[in-house]
Amino acid sequence: MRALHTLALLASSAWLLVSGQTDDVCRIQDRTYSPEAMPAGSHQPYDKLSPAVGGLSTKFYITVVNLTPHRLRLANTHSYQMDAFDFGDVPPGRARQNAVKYRGGLSRDDAGEAYYLVDGADQRFAVRVKSYSGPRPRRVVLDLSGMGLGQREYVFPGGDTAVSLVVAGSRRLGFRASLRHGPGNWMRGLYDVIGDRPVRHLVMPGAHDAGMSKITNKITSIGSRSNTQNQGVSIYDQLRAGARWLDLRVGSMAGLAVGNTGESLDEVIGEINRFTSESPGEIIFLPIRYLVGRYAFPDGGPILWGAAMVGEFFARLRGINNRCLDLDTSTGFQNHRASYLMDQNAGKGCVIPLLSGRLGAGVPRESPGDGIYDIGRMGIDDRWSDQMRADVMAPDQIGTWRSAVRGGAADHGNLVVAQWLVTPDAVAATAYSLQSFAIQPTNPSLYWAGVNGMDPEHWPNVVLVDYLGVQQRDQWAWDSLSAEMYTLAVGMNLYMASENCDVNRRRGPLRSAPKVSRGVPWNGIIFANGTTVDRPPPGIHPGRAAILRSGTVLGNGTVLAASVPNPWL
Ligand SMILES: *[C@@H]1O[C@H](CO)[C@@H](O)[C@H](O)[C@H]1NC(C)=O
Ligand SMILES: *[C@@H]1O[C@H](CO)[C@@H](O)[C@H](O)[C@H]1NC(C)=O
């Protein structure tokens, strides 16, 4: 099997022969990851979570994440009536939080553009910032039409917060950006890259409290949508958005429910099966916690499950398709090669329930013959910061994964689960909603603070978030989601981990071009109001300035004394 793959790799890589480089070996001197220091970024100040305060913000960020071997070079900028317009180069493997500050009020003329070149790839993209009248006045257009990756108009998710752009791939392999999601089975698309790696050398998105995408109020408590709903989209859409680690809490009440008041267990199973039938070949972990019954009133306390209840639970879990029966338990699951799991079920992959519960004595904790396992089968370091503020959580999480070296003699033996999420107290969660905590301070900070805390030797295996894929408040339709996390996962596996020659022994995939599914080419426009135009007429670039007006500041500091046609169109 292995030999066949290598052969196919060489055959499809004509350039190897041209360059005379016929050996498929990772070399440290080929590393492109840049240790260059990046300017410090800023977390959203806590008071800006309040719509009344955040609504007055004039300062915002556009984070650019570079998971390619090419430098993203700032070619030029121009800005008009902006008090700050600070953009810069983004070296390979790094992220830059670029800052803009509108002059104030809602002057409709505040605007600016930053033009980037992809070094060595003859590709370009632009970032456009502008004020508009009406709803959602401050918008950003990420224009990647010059790379064949479309355009998307974003609104900032809150005051002093960021819109993020993640770019992955390479000139040789083609690029991918976070404007929209790629194929559901992203792992299968990376089979040639990740197949030989142990699970503990993978990077996967995770969904925290994944079943809580709706509130069904099956128990009486102070829980409301605002303070208990952790996800905006269903399990099915979380999987399409890249999640491979679904954190589930199951309890019994009137039947088996996930998160007690979220989706029912049968709904969850139906959605997983729908996903795996459409997108086979993935590894999906279902860490399932609690396994306690509840009385209708929370202060009635938990009821431990007995053998009959566990039997009923296992019977339901047997409804999951592509379980992996009788996996090799002689080593921790984190040590299995990805291909061992992806090849199961005739290549349809694995869905692996990992149970941790409070069970009575003598009650079975797993059933390997059914593909149901105790969570102890996998070595996991799961770090929950239990912090309300993202600026406190972020260094704690980064410190956790930085203490685990990847590859080589010091290789960290366990799977590291980073919980990139905050835990507001009930008052704050009710006042501002968990959604606001997720999409304003927390998720955007992953793309500058988190990414700059990663390098080829240090990264988390699972990045667990709230409101996976949600970029704009209450915009939960599939087409309104944004693919930063999906693109981060692809780019981390394809680029960052591959730059580590103890993780990837072969020549970097971005140089030797294995077959990676790129999805259907698309160069459309997604507007902030959700309207998508798949085939726009040529020449449509929302927010573009055709004329640079008198008073425009150029990137080199020159202030135009007279209006001129924009020379960089
Ligand atoms: C959304 O915005 C675009 C561009 O401004 C506009 O052409 C379209 O009509 C809008 N759609 C809706 C439903 O408002
Ligand atoms: C600044 O850039 C503009 C446009 O490229 C150019 O015409 C001008 O000479 C530059 N000014 C300086 C001081 O370099």
Side-chain angles (χ1 to χ4, degrees):
M1 200 58 195
R2 196 63 269 150
L4 270 177
H5 276 296
T6 309
L7 213 69
L9 191 71
L10 289 171
S12 67
S13 308
W15 72 278
L16 283 174
L17 305 174
V18 176
S19 69
Q21 189 106 42
T22 51
D23 50 342
D24 181 17
V25 176
C26 183
R27 270 187 271 255
I28 190 78
Q29 63 267 31
D30 290 337
R31 184 180 277 208
T32 61
Y33 171 80
S34 170
E36 196 174 320
M38 298 308 293
S42 300
H43 290 275
Q44 183 190 42
Y46 188 78
D47 63 336
K48 304 279 181 184
L49 258 177
S50 150
V53 180
L56 301 175
S57 277
T58 55
K59 189 170 189 186
F60 301 94
Y61 304 96
I62 299 100
T63 300
V64 178
V65 178
N66 182 2
L67 293 174
T68 82
H70 309 278
R71 189 177 184 85
L72 303 181
R73 190 176 295 283
L74 183 67
N76 259 306
T77 64
H78 64 80
S79 64
Y80 184 74
Q81 294 185 354
M82 302 293 288
D83 284 339
F85 203 74
D86 170 35
F87 283 78
D89 285 10
V90 193
R94 310 295 282 170
R96 190 178 199 280
Q97 193 200 44
N98 301 294
V100 301
K101 191 169 191 303
Y102 292 84
R103 187 150 292 170
L106 276 178
S107 156
R108 292 170 57 182
D109 298 331
D110 297 359
E113 291 182 81
Y115 304 97
Y116 278 92
L117 297 175
V118 183
D119 257 11
D122 191 28
Q123 304 259 11
R124 58 181 60 219
F125 67 90
V127 177
R128 299 197 190 98
V129 177
K130 203 162 148 52
S131 282
Y132 298 82
S133 56
R136 309 182 193 90
R138 268 136 192 181
R139 297 182 220 154
V140 173
V141 174
L142 303 179
D143 182 348
L144 281 83
S145 57
M147 302 173 73
L149 296 172
Q151 306 178 62
R152 182 159 178 174
E153 190 182 44
Y154 286 89
V155 294
F156 295 103
D160 287 38
T161 57
V163 162
S164 306
L165 168 65
V166 184
V167 186
S170 71
R171 178 176 71 93
R172 202 166 294 283
L173 206 58
F175 292 97
R176 172 172 287 163
S178 51
L179 275 51
R180 62 206 289 273
H181 286 95
N185 50 353
W186 64 265
M187 285 183 144
R188 174 58 51 179
L190 295 179
Y191 186 94
D192 287 345
V193 178
I194 62 175
D196 279 347
R197 295 182 190 167
V199 169
R200 66 174 196 279
H201 285 169
L202 304 180
V203 181
M204 300 171 271
H208 174 237
D209 221 343
M212 296 299 278
S213 64
K214 63 179 189 186
I215 302 298
T216 49
N217 278 323
K218 291 201 182 113
I219 57 170
T220 307
S221 77
I222 59 158
S224 68
R225 187 179 118 176
S226 174
N227 66 18
T228 63
Q229 181 168 350
N230 294 78
Q231 300 291 336
V233 303
S234 67
I235 298 264
Y236 171 69
D237 279 347
Q238 291 168 31
L239 288 164
R240 288 207 286 168
R244 296 295 175 265
W245 184 271
L246 301 179
D247 167 46
L248 298 171
R249 294 116 199 257
V250 174
S252 58
M253 237 272 306
L256 289 161
V258 177
N260 281 307
T261 65
E263 294 194 63
S264 79
L265 183 59
D266 292 338
E267 277 180 285
V268 166
I269 291 171
E271 292 185 32
I272 294 170
N273 289 345
R274 180 180 171 202
F275 175 79
T276 56
S277 71
E278 291 171 3
S279 302
E282 306 294 287
I283 311 170
I284 299 167
F285 294 103
L286 305 178
I288 304 180
R289 287 198 270 172
Y290 287 165
L291 313 182
V292 291
R294 271 188 184 270
Y295 292 104
F297 293 93
D299 53 5
I303 319 162
L304 298 189
W305 284 9
M309 191 66 216
V310 168
E312 190 195 325
F313 179 51
F314 285 8
R316 298 291 183 89
L317 291 181
R318 284 196 292 271
I320 299 173
N321 297 336
N322 302 314
R323 282 165 292 116
C324 283
L325 317 188
D326 296 313
L327 288 173
D328 174 7
T329 51
S330 65
T331 182
F333 287 0
Q334 78 278 13
N335 301 321
H336 285 317
R337 283 170 193 261
S339 58
Y340 170 67
L341 300 173
M342 292 166 81
D343 291 345
Q344 299 277 330
N345 294 308
K348 290 186 188 152
C350 276
V351 180
I352 307 178
L354 295 168
L355 310 185
S356 62
R358 292 166 58 189
L359 300 173
V363 177
R365 311 188 65 86
E366 64 176 1
S367 179
D370 291 319
I372 299 167
Y373 299 93
D374 186 272
I375 197 148
R377 297 291 182 191
M378 178 124 100
I380 302 169
D381 296 339
D382 193 355
R383 173 72 181 171
W384 175 43
S385 298
D386 192 10
Q387 293 291 338
M388 180 150 142
R389 296 179 51 137
D391 57 341
V392 184
M393 174 278 294
D396 181 59
Q397 290 294 326
I398 293 167
T400 301
W401 75 64
R402 288 206 69 84
S403 67
V405 177
R406 303 308 184 155
D411 190 32
H412 188 71
N414 281 352
L415 197 81
V416 174
V417 178
Q419 299 204 21
W420 196 272
L421 45 94
V422 296
T423 312
D425 60 38
V427 174
T430 306
Y432 299 139
S433 83
L434 291 180
Q435 180 176 214
S436 295
F437 275 96
I439 70 170
Q440 295 191 35
T442 311
N443 294 349
S445 73
L446 174 64
Y447 300 97
W448 60 273
V451 168
N452 283 333
M454 300 179 199
D455 62 34
E457 278 72 37
H458 305 90
W459 70 82
N461 298 108
V462 176
V463 186
L464 202 62
V465 295
D466 285 325
Y467 285 88
L468 176 68
V470 176
Q471 191 275 332
Q472 198 180 327
R473 188 179 176 82
D474 295 340
Q475 301 300 303
W476 300 346
W478 173 250
D479 288 339
S480 300
L481 302 185
S482 192
E484 291 88 331
M485 183 59 119
Y486 176 103
T487 315
L488 180 78
V490 170
M492 287 299 296
N493 288 296
L494 195 54
Y495 173 73
M496 194 77 95
S498 300
E499 290 266 294
N500 179 335
C501 293
D502 290 321
V503 166
N504 167 55
R505 302 207 169 272
R506 292 153 61 191
R507 201 163 156 77
L510 293 165
R511 294 161 171 273
S512 58
K515 197 169 114 299
V516 170
S517 82
R518 293 179 201 184
V520 183
W522 180 84
N523 213 1
I525 305 176
I526 303 170
F527 290 96
N529 62 11
T531 298
T532 298
V533 182
D534 285 321
R535 275 174 218 80
I540 307 277
H541 297 274
R544 181 186 259 184
I547 302 289
L548 303 185
R549 298 160 67 167
S550 159
T552 294
V553 182
L554 304 183
N556 62 10
T558 297
V559 180
L560 294 182
S563 299
V564 296
N566 183 346
W568 295 301
L569 290 189

